[in-house]
Amino acid sequence: MEHSLVTYPAIVEQGAQQTRVHFPDLPAADVVDADYYQALMRAQLGLAIVIIDLESHHEPVPAPSEPTTLAPLLNTPEARIELITTDLDEY
């Protein structure tokens, strides 16, 4: 079985009330959740859905940015860059 793993950098900001996961390359996959781990799980799902949707409409899927280029987007001390990997064959 062949797997279609994709990895995109995301800006993860964990606050007191919520965790926000922002994909600069694919903002339609952004998620917000009260729970950190739930937010990461939903980010994996959202990333897969957005990429599959783009591909199904024969639209270009942007290449993942180099994580180091995203440092200027870290607006708060709580924000950090994380790599989110999902398997497109799972969805």
Side-chain angles (χ1 to χ4, degrees):
M1 173 183 270
E2 183 178 321
H3 294 283
S4 297
L5 295 177
V6 295
T7 302
Y8 277 77
I11 297 173
V12 178
E13 188 172 355
Q14 192 172 2
Q17 302 292 324
Q18 65 185 14
T19 297
R20 179 176 183 260
V21 181
H22 169 59
F23 292 96
D25 301 310
L26 295 163
D30 289 5
V31 298
V32 176
D33 200 287
D35 180 76
Y36 170 78
Y37 296 104
Q38 192 75 10
L40 292 181
M41 185 176 68
R42 289 181 58 216
Q44 289 176 323
L45 175 62
L47 182 60
I49 289 171
V50 169
I51 291 171
I52 291 167
D53 184 60
L54 288 170
E55 289 177 343
S56 73
H57 290 95
H58 305 286
E59 296 179 35
V61 177
S65 293
E66 180 62 37
T68 56
T69 65
L70 301 181
L73 300 177
L74 301 176
N75 297 326
T76 67
E78 295 82 19
R80 64 188 176 281
I81 299 166
E82 292 191 30
L83 296 176
I84 307 293
T85 299
T86 193
D87 186 347
L88 299 179
D89 288 341
E90 294 291 318
Y91 302 98

